[in-house]
């Protein structure tokens, strides 16, 4: 177990290192920072000063080391687009995305598991068929179409829910939260539905398949032979085992929610990291792009480690006796 | 077949004219037809028959656990004089566990890996009996002790993966006995275990039945097991009961020709036969003719005279192999883990003279396959040498090329050893494809020719070449594997458990074939098996392995009749045998 | 009363002199105030200046300042602030400097009187002050923002995100690109003079046009300033809503690189086809402005032949004759110029600034395609487009120009004058350079005689029209959509002044 | 979808009893038949687009601007007929959808082909060879997994934007998108194939081949590769749907194909602007086409997976 965790930790560090190198390459070689920061008409002297200041005149390993050092200290440079420290810009936008992703993850996980179990148990009944068909449509519908459809129906036609933005937010320290106001929650509904639907259907299908397999397994057969009740078998035996593979995949899916939020944020004008990233891509705002990449990688790595831990806790075979 | 007249009390279980059929894409498929049997309290009924005969299906039908798609047709099932096959699903469920207990074949997968042993037991106990948690715990403890698990207290808190296979199977038995059912159905409870563990589990079952008066329906295809344990035996074939009656009677005086063939096909442990009788030989012709043929076939074989002084074909000396199971250095140091090395083979030396068969026996994990794989060039030895006809296949590519086609291997699993996506013709031709580079004469026509020959030699129809492996039975597949092994005209054949996944009857066919080929082609065999009877039948010399070491080696007769090493003795004692005249297993263990 | 106000783009900085563009002025006019503003009707309205007149010296204007005006930090507004602010707006880093090139000196006469001296007589000086916001000198010094934020500075300054104006609204909170909440300033000098019925203003930049419309339809915003053209008809039918339309003081046109160097974004590598007037004329003839009006703009544009809207002084109907498009003639001209098979060129286009900008470019690409000019449309945000224009990194581009001074000189200063000389030509990416014309343009700033000045303007226009360095398309018609309780008139400069609006009762 | 015309009853009836689960389920499931038919029609339509379409919607000069916003099944002012209406540029929507479909399918197919080749090759080699190569491939796959399709595509797009001269950006857009999607999808194949390889190479038929002296390449290509067919087919189908959706999403975000080269996603992006103004057809028809495409491919993917997964039978 310890060895396993350490191996994962080592791999994670490796991943982070590789991504930071990628991010460094993006940062260093994409566009000319002197032009982006100083404009075309800056003098040669000004430019050289900036090049020296950024350390771009040094050998690449030194530059990379410097970049790593900066990154570790949370210094990602200055956004070319909004001309503010990247850290600040990202910190400002992160709460919106993280709240959206967290709520969506919750919805996708719970909904996916509940519906997946239902679908598996009533495989040949009409609920099962309906759920299977719905999940198929769910994975086929591009997120943006879902968003557009939801806006059209619930905001424009029915006037029930807001069509954009986060509603009112409350500042808690440096964190702006929409979870404390009614309008914040109302604003969350449609984006969360949009963001969660795809992942929900994925998890639902996964749970369904795993559940079907578990229900055919020997230990379930043996549990039946011992005369245990059906509920016990489904929830006490099959589901517990099903959750183990589900944890891994669901963990990855949840991790990618943050990146996936890009589309949802665009459709709903959600002021989060995704919208920032798209704007930065369009404006070739390299420091923000580089920082965002690292952030996503970090998030992924952390989620992966957590998943590993949970996995180990859920599966006694991985626990040390 | 009618069951024997029951004694005065009503039987515990009565099955009358039961038939079961399954819905398949091509319409209903009959699996059981007119099966009938009875079981008295405390009685042990052995159910035998070849694979697919419907043994498991009968058990499932009694317990009400048919897979979806299966239906009970005609017939009825009675438990203690009450009809149970017509009960509702919920009532059937209540019967299970409380009145009918079941144990399945595979102890590795029967227990839920994420629940503790205690959870399993307590949950089952409390489903059936109105006990408090602490009472349930006590009962669980008692049950574990009853099935002979030491340190029961600690085991309750453990997870299935922390138990050995034999322990798990005993836990499964304890689980089946939670509510003291009157009837226990055990479906091949020991097939997945090795001989010694198998003997222990069977002993537990026997003892429990005697002590508690539980009736046991023991499904097995191992005649030896049935012979050692059961009071009565029921022989099934193709969904029907062929014969049933007291064990001794059926085994010694089988009435149905099929039973006779089945019994005859079991290789005896104490004699070496020229040929093993097979049911195929037996069933179609008239019983009398069979008897005559069998009588002739069953002549004891004179021991082979080894040409003294001749150089052996294969010489293995000091062969060792280690597997490093520990984590990489850095992690190991960080986690303070010791280095874990598994010595799978240790200083193994033996020689096989040309034209003879060398048998390698030993319990599971003792390193038999490892040795074979090193000889076959699949696994690099850590130390020691292998020389085949004077050439060491590990000494370089040139040596390996020189040996190309000189030796072949036949594997245990006839399903995994043939590429399911290739036609048989191509599978058999494969060794030639590699030779083609060196041998210009091997054009497509020549290859076809040789494939046809090889198929013919293993008694397969010529059109087999155009079919796929899945269109053949297990025995036929093993013959395909043999054909492939023969096509390059090797001198030496390594057979790693070539029959252990086959029925007795099919096993007999394959063994006979091997024997015939040796006679025809002068082959040399290395035969690995954990079935001592098979070794007895086939081998001139035997090596016994334990934990990677060759503990005893010598002429087959000597080793098997007068074992010197204690391990060999233990191994021999654990073998269930029809034993002409029953000896209780316990006495032998 | 709260009004939620949506527009496509946010102001990129709160520094009033850092950038001269619509979205910035738009927001800052609610917070800061210039000396004078121009109302929707086109009249000048005294704001921080109570009155102004030319002194006896025709080159000097005198402004009487309003008394009792407080900055948002509570300090009093005086002549010092005006002097400081005008100097600041003329600083090299200021984007407003081209507007003020004629000024030579700003001086304080008394605490509430200021004099501005220009290089020559400048009758239009008051007009050029309508976007020059006044900020507090003391505040600027205290926060080290005496110079405007440099558009290409590495980092923001204090003024980027803080304000201290005299305007009717105070910024209560601001998240850039998300929302800005403005609250009525309790000590505003205009209390009692203006309706000031809106006491909270929530400014919501919504980039996607569909979302903007959806938000209005679902009642989440009250006022959409740049309504997508296609939605006007539908919204007009909605009884809950009101739609106002009027011509904007803004013309949309294509700029062409007419310099002598070969083009960067074309497949003719040895010379510049656009340097040939015949090619430019062929372009002009190929693009059917009336078709663009009916199809792309749905009738909501006024095709034009001059890059000055009719509001502008110096505009002449005679210049504004939109000819019919003529593909055959255009082809002939191209062939004559040596391009019988046309050539390929990239058209740089904005996609977030002008009404249907990208669609216009595509339509134009279609029209040019018919005469064999294979046009690739590269659409991008305004910020990139502006940067490319400022860096001369484009050969063929769509752009729009509004004229806050309502005078032709503003157009000449930015778009016609050779680039970079005399602090002029900042937005001229045509590489056109004509010394004679430059001289005339410079002279306008100092010309006191209105008749002579008009004549010069006319002569400049004649050249511009003849040279065809710009291909005018149309004047924009703006559409404002709002809930019924509001009735916000379309301002030609596209800047609503919320302090002026009354709410409908009931 | 209308009721699909059934093949000869004899054929279907025979399939219904076939040994192949794939054929059996196909013969039984109306949904799968409909999906096959839909996909077939869409493929055919895309293939024949240049002949079916009235105009080339990529050629700006072919468009009749004055016919913009013609509703479906009407004649425009120029007299041309628009079965599915026209968009804001006077582009015949049917032609645009046909060509857009072509682009979407092309991008999907090319991305799948590319990722499949790379993924299968790397997965096979990694699984068979093991050791450092395996470790390397799997670590790279881990890193790749960190970034979902969308992000990779955006990143590549961003990098391409930064590196390519502006004039080439639009021409390169298709390749950039294909590369981006392929780059984020290969992991799927590599991981699965490696897994299957690890299982298969343990099987005795591989050992038999090695004993027979077959070369490593012969074993990889002759034995292992054919066994990967089923999983590759299943992943391929599902990732094709994913690729089509990813492409449309990117185009919708405005970082995919340019409006002058519209794919279905671009068409939807354009159409979205007209959602509230009454020109519903500009959004609806491309959206329906995309949905039909994704749905039928996914359905087929499910069908294949169920048919090839022995566990589900
Ligand atoms: N779910 C099912 N659907 C259809 N046929 C089945 C099903 N389960 C078993 N069968 C068939 O029923 C027959 C009897 O199977 P059963 O498992 O009882 O055999 P068995 O005697 O236990 O064999 P073995 O010794 O191999 O366990 C076989 O031919 C098998 O193929
Ligand atoms: N590649 C390997 N890596 C690590 N351990 C191995 C490997 N191959 C075999 N072993 C171990 O070596 C020991 C001997 O295995 P081997 O397969 O030779 O046993 P066997 O006698 O053939 O057993 P069985 O009767 O079950 O086939 C076992 O403990 C096994 O787990
Ligand atoms: Mg069985
Ligand atoms: Mg073995």
């Amino acid at each position: 177990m310890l060895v396993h965790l350490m191996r994962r930790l080592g791999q994670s560090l490796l991943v982070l290192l590789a991504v930071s190198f990628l991010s460094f390459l993006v940062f260093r070689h994409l566009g000319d920072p002197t032009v982006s920061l100083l404009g075309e008409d800056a003098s040669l002297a000004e430019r050289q000063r900036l090049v020296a200041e950024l350390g771009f005149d040094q050998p690449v390993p030194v530059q990379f080391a410097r970049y790593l050092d900066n990154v570790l200290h949370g210094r990602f440079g200055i956004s070319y687009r909004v001309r503010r420290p990247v850290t600040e810009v990202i910190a400002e936008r992160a709460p919106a995305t993280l709240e959206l992703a967290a709520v969506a993850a919750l919805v996708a996980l719970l909904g996916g598991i509940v519906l997946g179990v239902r679908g598996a148990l009533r495989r040949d009944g009409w609920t099962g068929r309906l759920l299977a068909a719905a999940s198929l449509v769910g994975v086929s519908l591009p997120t943006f179409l879902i968003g557009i459809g939801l806006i059209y129906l619930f905001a424009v036609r029915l006037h029930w829910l807001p069509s954009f933005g986060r509603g009112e937010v409350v500042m808690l320290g440096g964190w702006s939260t929409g979870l404390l106001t009614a309008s914040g929650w109302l604003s969350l509904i449609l984006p969360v539905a949009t963001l969660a639907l795809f992942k929900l259907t994925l998890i639902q299908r996964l749970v369904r398949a795993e559940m079907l397999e578990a229900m055919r397994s020997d230990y379930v057969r043996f549990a039946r032979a011992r005369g245990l009740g059906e509920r016990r078998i489904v929830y006490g035996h099959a589901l517990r085992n099903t959750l183990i593979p589900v944890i891994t995949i669901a963990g990855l899916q949840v991790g990618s929610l943050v990146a996936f939020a890009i589309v949802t944020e665009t459709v709903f004008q959600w002021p989060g990291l995704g919208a920032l990233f798209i704007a930065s891509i369009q404006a070739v705002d390299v420091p923000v792009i580089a920082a965002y990449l690292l952030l996503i990688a970090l998030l992924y790595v952390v989620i992966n480690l957590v998943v590993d831990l949970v996995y180990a806790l859920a599966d006694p075979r991985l626990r040390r006796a | 077949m009618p069951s024997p007249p029951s004694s005065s009390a009503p039987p515990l279980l009565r099955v009358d004219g039961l038939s079961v059929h399954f819905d398949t894409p091509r319409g209903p498929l009959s699996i059981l037809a007119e099966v009938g049997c009875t079981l008295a309290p405390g009685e042990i009924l052995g159910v035998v028959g070849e694979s697919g005969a419907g043994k498991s299906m009968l058990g499932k039908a009694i317990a009400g656990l048919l897979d979806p798609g299966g239906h009970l047709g005609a017939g009825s099932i009675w438990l203690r004089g009450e009809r149970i096959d017509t009960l509702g699903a919920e009532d059937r469920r209540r019967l299970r566990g409380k009145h009918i207990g079941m144990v399945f074949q595979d102890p590795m997968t029967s227990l839920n890996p994420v629940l503790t042993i205690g959870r399993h037991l307590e949950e089952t106990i409390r489903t059936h009996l109105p006990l408090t948690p602490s009472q349930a715990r006590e009962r669980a403890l008692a049950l574990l002790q009853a099935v002979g698990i030491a340190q029961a207290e600690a085991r309750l808190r453990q997870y299935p993966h922390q138990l050995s296979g034999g322990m798990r199977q005993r836990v499964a038995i304890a689980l089946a006995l939670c509510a003291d059912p009157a009837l226990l159905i055990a479906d091949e409870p020991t097939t997945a275990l090795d001989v010694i563990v198998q003997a222990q589990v069977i002993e537990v079952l026997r003892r429990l039945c005697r002590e508690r008066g539980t009736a046991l329906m023991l499904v097995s295809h191992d005649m030896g097991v049935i012979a050692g344990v059961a009071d009565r035996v029921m022989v099934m074939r193709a969904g029907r009961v062929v014969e049933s009656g007291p064990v001794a009677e059926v085994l010694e005086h089988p009435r149905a020709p099929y039973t006779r063939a089945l019994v005859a096909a079991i290789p005896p442990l104490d004699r070496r036969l020229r040929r093993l009788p097979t049911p195929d030989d037996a069933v179609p012709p008239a019983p009398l003719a069979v008897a005559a043929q069998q009588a002739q076939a069953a002549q004891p074989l004179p021991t082979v005279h080894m040409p003294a002084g001749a150089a052996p074909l294969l010489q293995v000396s000091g062969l060792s192999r280690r597997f490093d199971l520990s984590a990489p250095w850095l992690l190991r140091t960080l986690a303070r883990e010791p280095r874990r090395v598994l010595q799978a083979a240790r200083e193994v030396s033996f020689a096989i003279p040309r034209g003879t068969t060398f048998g390698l026996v030993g319990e599971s994990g003792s390193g038999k396959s490892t040795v074979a794989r090193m000889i076959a060039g699949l696994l690099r030895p850590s130390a020691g040498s292998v020389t085949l006809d004077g050439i060491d296949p590990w000494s370089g590519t040139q040596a390996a090329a020189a040996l190309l086609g000189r030796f072949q291997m036949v594997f245990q699993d006839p399903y995994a050893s043939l590429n399911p996506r290739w036609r048989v013709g191509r599978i058999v031709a494969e060794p030639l494809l590699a030779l083609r580079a060196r041998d210009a004469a091997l054009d497509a026509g020549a290859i076809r020719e040789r494939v046809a020959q090889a198929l013919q030699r293993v008694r397969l129809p010529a059109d087999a070449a155009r079919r796929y492996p899945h269109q053949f039975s297990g025995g036929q597949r093993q013959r395909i594997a043999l054909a492939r092994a023969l096509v390059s005209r090797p001198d030496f054949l390594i057979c790693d458990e070539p029959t252990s996944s086959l029925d007795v009857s099919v096993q007999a066919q394959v063994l006979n074939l091997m024997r015939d080929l040796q006679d025809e082609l002068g082959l040399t065999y290395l035969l690995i098996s954990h079935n001592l009877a098979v070794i007895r039948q086939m081998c001139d010399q035997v090596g016994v392995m334990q934990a990677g070491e060759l503990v005893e080696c010598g002429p087959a007769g000597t080793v098997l009749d007068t074992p010197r090493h204690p391990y060999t003795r233990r191994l021999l004692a654990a073998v269930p045998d029809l034993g002409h005249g029953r000896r209780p297993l316990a006495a032998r263990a | 009363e709260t009004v939620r106000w949506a527009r496509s783009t946010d102001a990129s900085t709160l520094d009033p002199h850092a950038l001269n563009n619509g979205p910035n002025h738009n927001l800052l006019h609610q917070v800061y105030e210039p000396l004078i503003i121009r109302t929707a009707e086109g009249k000048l309205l005294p704001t921080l200046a109570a009155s102004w007149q030319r002194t006896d010296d025709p080159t000097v204007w005198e402004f009487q300042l309003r008394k009792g005006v407080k900055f948002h930090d509570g300090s009093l507004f005086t002549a010092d602030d005006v002097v400081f602010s005008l100097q600041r707006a003329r600083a090299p880093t200021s984007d407003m400097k081209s507007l003020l090139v004629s000024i030579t000196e700003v001086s304080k006469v008394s605490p509430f009187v200021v004099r501005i001296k220009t290089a020559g007589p400048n009758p239009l000086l008051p007009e050029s002050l309508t976007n020059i916001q006044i900020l507090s000198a003391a505040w600027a010094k205290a926060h080290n923002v005496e110079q405007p934020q440099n558009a290409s500075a590495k980092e923001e300054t204090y003024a980027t995100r803080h304000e201290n104006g005299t305007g009717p609204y105070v910024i209560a909170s601001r998240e850039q690109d998300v929302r800005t909440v403005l609250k009525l300033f309790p000590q505003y000098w205009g209390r009692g003079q203006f309706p000031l019925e809106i006491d909270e203003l929530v400014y919501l930049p919504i980039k996607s046009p569909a979302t903007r419309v959806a938000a209005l339809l679902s009642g989440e915003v009250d006022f959409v300033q740049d309504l997508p053209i296609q939605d006007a008809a539908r919204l007009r039918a909605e009884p809950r809503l009101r739609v106002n339309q009027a011509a904007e003081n803004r013309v949309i046109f294509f700029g062409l690189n007419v310099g002598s160097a070969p083009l960067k974004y074309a497949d003719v590598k040895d010379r510049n086809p656009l340097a040939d007037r015949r090619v430019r004329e062929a372009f002009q003839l190929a693009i059917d402005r009336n078709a663009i009006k009916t199809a792309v703009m749905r009738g909501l544009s006024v095709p034009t032949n001059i890059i000055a809207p009719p509001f502008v002084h110096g505009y002449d109907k005679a210049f504004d004759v939109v000819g019919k498009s003529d593909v055959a003639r255009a082809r002939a001209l191209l062939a004559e110029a040596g391009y019988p098979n046309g050539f390929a060129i990239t058209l740089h286009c904005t996609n977030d600034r002008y009404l249907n900008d990208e669609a216009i470019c595509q339509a134009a690409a279609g029209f040019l395609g018919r005469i064999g000019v294979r046009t690739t449309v590269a659409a991008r945000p305004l910020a990139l487009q502006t940067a490319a224009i400022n860096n001369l990194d484009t050969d063929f581009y769509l752009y729009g120009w509004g004229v806050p001074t309502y005078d032709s000189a503003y157009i000449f200063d930015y778009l016609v004058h050779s680039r970079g000389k005399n602090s002029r030509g900042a937005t001229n990416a045509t590489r056109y350079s004509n010394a004679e014309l430059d001289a005339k343009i410079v002279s306008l700033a100092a010309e006191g005689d209105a008749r002579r000045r008009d004549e010069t303007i006319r002569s400049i226009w004649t050249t511009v029209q003849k040279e065809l360095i710009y291909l005018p398309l149309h004047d924009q018609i703006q559409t404002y959509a709002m809930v019924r309780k509001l009735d916000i008139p379309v301002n030609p400069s596209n800047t609503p002044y919320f302090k002026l609006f009354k709410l409908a009762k009931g | 979808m209308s009721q699909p015309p059934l093949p000869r009853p004899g054929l279907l009836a025979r399939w219904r009893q076939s040994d192949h689960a794939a054929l059996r389920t196909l013969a039984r499931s109306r949904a799968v038949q409909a999906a096959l038919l839909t996909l077939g029609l869409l493929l055919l339509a895309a293939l024949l687009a240049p002949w079916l379409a009235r105009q080339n919607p990529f050629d700006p000069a072919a468009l009749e601007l004055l016919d913009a916003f013609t509703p479906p099944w009407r004649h425009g002012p120029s007299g041309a007929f628009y079965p599915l209406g026209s968009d804001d540029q006077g582009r015949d929507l049917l032609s645009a959808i046909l060509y857009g479909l072509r682009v979407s399918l092309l991008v999907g197919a090319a991305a799948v082909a590319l990722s499949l080749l790379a993924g299968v090759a790397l997965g096979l080699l990694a699984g068979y060879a093991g050791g450092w190569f395996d470790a390397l491939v799997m670590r790279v796959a881990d890193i790749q997994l960190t970034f979902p399709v969308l992000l990779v595509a955006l990143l590549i797009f961003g990098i391409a934007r930064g590196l390519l001269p502006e004039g080439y950006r639009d021409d390169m857009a298709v390749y950039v998108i294909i590369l981006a999607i392929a780059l984020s999808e290969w992991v799927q194949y590599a991981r699965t194939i490696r897994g299957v390889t690890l299982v298969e190479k343990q099987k005795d038929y591989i050992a038999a081949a090695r004993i027979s002296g077959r070369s490593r390449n012969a074993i990889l290509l002759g034995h292992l590769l054919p066994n990967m067919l089923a999983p590759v087919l299943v992943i391929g189908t599902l990732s094709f749907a994913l690729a089509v959706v990813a492409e449309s999403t990117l185009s919708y975000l405005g970082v995919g194909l340019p409006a002058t080269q519209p794919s279905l996603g671009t068409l939807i992006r354009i159409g979205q602007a007209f959602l509230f103004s009454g020109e519903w057809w500009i959004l609806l028809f491309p959206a329906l086409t995309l949905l039909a495409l994704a749905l039928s491919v996914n359905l087929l993917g499910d069908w294949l997976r169920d048919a090839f997964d022995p566990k589900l039978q």
Side-chain angles (χ1 to χ4, degrees), chain A residues 2-3 6-7 218-219 221-222 224-229 232 236-237 240-241 244 314-317 319-321, chain B residues 65 93 96-97 102 104 109-110 112-115 120 123-124 127-128 159 161-162 172 175 328 334-335 337:
Chain A
L2 188 62
V3 171
M6 281 200 323
R7 171 175 293 157
D218 279 354
Y219 57 81
R221 208 155 53 101
F222 190 42
R224 284 230 166 89
R226 277 178 281 148
L228 295 188
R232 250 220 128 77
H237 286 256
R240 276 192 70 150
N241 273 282
I244 291 175
D315 190 343
R317 282 165 291 192
R319 244 180 282 156
R320 223 201 200 140
Chain B
L65 279 176
R93 178 180 77 72
R96 286 198 296 273
M102 269 194 106
F104 295 107
T109 55
S110 284
N112 191 335
V114 299
L115 300 183
H120 274 99
E123 164 188 84
T124 314
T127 304
H128 297 296
Y159 287 91
H161 72 275
Q162 293 165 317
L175 276 168
L334 285 175
E337 277 199 349

Side-chain angles (χ1 to χ4, degrees), chain B residues 85-105:
Chain B
D85 56 321
T86 47
L87 292 177
E90 186 55 24
D91 291 325
R92 291 300 297 263
R93 178 180 77 72
R94 265 188 257 271
L95 278 181
R96 286 198 296 273
K98 193 158 170 66
H99 298 284
I100 306 175
M102 269 194 106
V103 181
F104 295 107
Q105 169 173 2

Side-chain angles (χ1 to χ4, degrees), chain C residues 210 213-214 230-231 234 265 294-296 298 348 358-359 362-363 365-367 369-370 376-377 380, chain D residues 60-61 63-66 68-69 88-89 91 161 166-167 170 259-260 269 272-274 276-277 279:
Chain C
V213 177
Q230 60 269 18
D231 294 308
R234 155 88 203 277
Y265 298 105
T294 38
V296 180
R298 306 203 176 198
H348 289 122
E358 194 176 347
Q362 279 183 42
F367 288 127
R370 292 185 189 176
T376 310
V377 177
R380 53 203 183 172
Chain D
L63 310 182
E64 194 54 66
L65 192 57
L66 284 173
F69 303 116
D88 61 332
Q89 293 287 322
R91 195 179 274 130
R161 251 187 113 97
E166 183 137 14
D170 281 353
T260 43
R269 176 167 64 92
Q272 194 199 356
F274 304 101
F276 305 113
S277 59
E279 284 100 8

Side-chain angles (χ1 to χ4, degrees), chain D residues 125-233:
Chain D
L125 281 176
Y128 193 73
W132 65 266
F133 184 74
D134 183 31
L136 182 74
V137 170
M138 286 302 111
R139 288 300 79 73
V140 174
D142 271 357
I143 294 173
Q144 179 65 69
L145 269 186
T146 315
F147 304 106
V149 187
L150 210 62
L151 207 58
V152 175
L154 281 172
L155 191 66
I156 295 214
F157 185 84
I159 292 177
R161 251 187 113 97
L163 296 183
L164 287 175
E166 183 137 14
Y168 296 102
R169 281 181 196 163
D170 281 353
D171 301 339
M172 299 301 290
V174 174
Y175 305 103
V176 167
I177 284 213
I178 290 176
L179 188 72
I181 297 179
L183 205 68
S184 50
E185 286 288 303
W186 70 270
V187 179
Q188 283 245 31
Y189 299 93
R191 292 192 135 204
T192 312
I193 294 303
R194 173 177 173 270
V196 179
T197 308
L198 284 180
V199 171
E200 289 294 318
K201 87 167 180 185
Q202 293 300 324
K203 291 205 177 149
D204 292 334
Y205 68 87
I206 300 296
R210 283 174 60 194
I211 290 174
S212 301
R214 298 308 302 280
S215 71
R216 174 166 144 169
N217 286 348
I219 290 175
L220 280 179
L221 298 178
H223 282 289
L224 290 175
L225 198 60
N227 276 301
M228 314 296 158
L229 228 59
V232 164
L233 199 63

Side-chain angles (χ1 to χ4, degrees), chain B residues 364-461:
Chain B
S364 184
S366 56
K368 307 183 294 291
S369 299
T370 304
V371 169
R373 291 167 66 82
M374 285 190 289
I375 295 171
L378 292 173
L379 197 68
R380 184 174 286 280
S382 311
S385 72
V386 177
T387 48
L388 188 71
D389 214 3
I391 307 171
D392 183 352
W394 287 110
S395 64
T397 39
Q398 234 168 352
L403 283 175
L404 206 61
R406 297 277 312 271
F407 63 92
Q408 289 291 351
M409 189 158 169
V410 177
F411 300 88
Q412 167 174 4
D413 186 349
Y415 292 82
S417 61
L418 306 178
N419 188 340
R421 283 169 207 281
W422 282 22
R423 285 179 203 277
V424 168
R426 187 161 165 217
I427 291 174
V428 174
E430 182 162 37
L432 299 180
L433 297 180
L435 284 175
R436 193 166 50 179
R438 285 188 312 172
D439 190 348
L442 268 179
D443 56 7
I447 289 182
R448 227 180 353 254
E449 179 86 358
R450 299 246 312 242
V451 168
Q453 272 175 14
L455 286 174
Q456 195 192 359
R457 192 158 273 149
V458 299
R459 327 260 189 279
L460 279 173

